[in-house]
Amino acid sequence: MTTLLRPWRALACVAAIAAALVVAFVMAPAALAGTAATSDLRGESRLIGAFRNAFVGYWSSGNADFGSELQRVVDYWFRYHVAKAVLSGALLVVLIVLGVLSWQAFLRVGGLRAAALAVSGVLATALAVVSLAAVMANIHGMAAPFGSLLPMLFGSPSVGSLPDTLAQIRQQLVDGQNSPALGPILDDYVKFHAVMAVEGTIVVILLVVVSVLLWRGFTRTDRAERRSRRVLAAYGVFIPLLALVLAVIVVANATTAAHPLPGLESFFAGGW
C-alpha cells in the first residue's frame, strides 16, 4: 500500500508547488520589482499613466537620454520582467517534472486512475507550453524593457499631449527622420525582436533534439508496450508541431529586426 501511495504523494507535492508558483507568478512580481521610489507604479493603470507622462516628457526634451522619470519606470519594468522570468522558469521546470511523473504513473495503472493521470499529463503539458511562452516573453522584456513598455502608449483613450506626441513620431518615421529621441525607440524595437529571434532559435533546436530522442525511444520500445509507444508517438508529433509554430515566429521576428522601419511605422499607426 505504501509503495502504491508514493507516486501519488509525489504528484500531489509537485502539483502543490506548481499551484504556488502560478499564484506567485501573478501576485509577486510587482512586489519583488518595487522599491520605495516606485510604489506608485504598482497597478496596471498607475504604471500606464506614469509611463505615458514620462514618455511625453522624454519626447518633448528631444534628447536620447531618458531622464529620471522615464528611467525610473524602465528600471522598474526591467526588474518586473526579471521576477516574472525567474518564476515562470521555475514553473516550467516543475510542470515538466509533473508531466513526466504523471505519464510514468500512467503506464503502471489502469482504469480511472490511468484516466486521471492522462488528464494530469496533458494539463501539465499545456501549462508547460504557456510557461515556456512566458519565459521567452519575459526574457526579451528584460533585454528591451523600454521597447516592451511601448504598447502601453495605446489602448485606453489618450489624453493630454500623448496624441500629439504619437503623431510627431509617426510623421518622423514617414519622413525618414532620425531624431535623437527616436533613436532609442528604434534601437529597443530592434533589440526586442532580435532577442526573440535568438531565444526562439535556441528553443527550436532543443525541441528538435527532444523530438529525435522521442522517436528513437519509440522505435526501441517493444511493440507489446502499446501504451508507452502511444505516449512517445503523441509527444513525437506534438513537439515538432510546436517547434514548427515557433520557427514561424522566429522568422517573423528576425525579419522585423533586420528591417524594422515598416514594422515600427505600423506599430505607431496602431498596428500592435
Side-chain angles (χ1 to χ4, degrees):
M1 179 65 70
T2 302
T3 304
L4 291 173
L5 287 175
R6 283 176 184 171
W8 294 95
R9 288 175 179 172
L11 281 168
C13 181
V14 175
I17 295 172
L21 285 170
V22 170
V23 173
F25 178 80
V26 175
M27 304 296 294
L32 293 173
T35 63
T38 60
S39 59
D40 61 312
L41 301 180
R42 295 185 185 181
E44 185 178 358
S45 60
R46 290 182 179 183
L47 176 63
I48 291 173
F51 173 63
R52 289 180 175 183
N53 290 333
F55 183 85
V56 169
Y58 157 74
W59 183 260
S60 299
S61 72
N63 299 319
D65 181 70
F66 284 162
S68 60
E69 186 59 26
L70 182 56
Q71 190 65 59
R72 181 179 74 98
V73 179
V74 171
D75 290 344
Y76 167 80
W77 200 233
F78 168 77
R79 295 192 299 271
Y80 183 87
H81 279 298
V82 170
K84 284 265 191 179
V86 171
L87 289 169
S88 58
L91 179 59
L92 175 60
V93 172
V94 171
L95 288 169
I96 291 173
V97 172
L98 179 60
V100 171
L101 290 176
S102 296
W103 290 118
Q104 285 179 341
F106 167 80
L107 298 176
R108 296 194 296 267
V109 299
L112 292 177
R113 286 185 176 184
L117 288 165
V119 171
S120 175
V122 170
L123 183 59
T125 301
L127 291 176
V129 172
V130 175
S131 296
L132 175 61
V135 171
M136 296 177 68
N138 284 287
I139 287 176
H140 61 255
M142 287 165 47
F146 178 51
S148 68
L149 279 165
L150 292 178
M152 294 185 185
L153 296 173
F154 307 93
S156 57
S158 300
V159 295
S161 302
L162 182 58
D164 292 337
T165 297
L166 296 177
Q168 292 171 24
I169 295 173
R170 285 193 292 269
Q171 192 60 50
Q172 283 199 16
L173 290 170
V174 170
D175 294 342
Q177 300 179 29
N178 191 15
S179 65
L182 187 60
I185 296 174
L186 179 59
D187 291 345
D188 249 40
Y189 182 80
V190 171
K191 186 187 297 183
F192 185 89
H193 291 283
V195 171
M196 177 59 194
V198 171
E199 66 179 353
T201 300
I202 294 171
V203 174
V204 167
I205 292 171
L206 291 175
L207 291 176
V208 170
V209 171
V210 171
S211 299
V212 171
L213 294 175
L214 285 168
W215 282 111
R216 182 176 294 178
F218 175 84
T219 58
R220 292 179 177 179
T221 301
D222 192 285
R223 290 182 178 274
E225 299 180 28
R226 294 182 179 179
R227 193 180 287 186
S228 296
R229 286 170 63 86
R230 286 173 184 171
V231 172
L232 290 169
Y235 279 91
V237 172
F238 171 72
I239 290 181
L241 289 176
L242 180 62
L244 181 60
V245 171
L246 187 54
V248 173
I249 296 173
V250 166
V251 171
N253 279 272
T255 302
T256 299
H259 306 283
L261 287 179
L264 194 59
E265 289 179 15
S266 177
F267 173 80
F268 278 101
W272 175 261

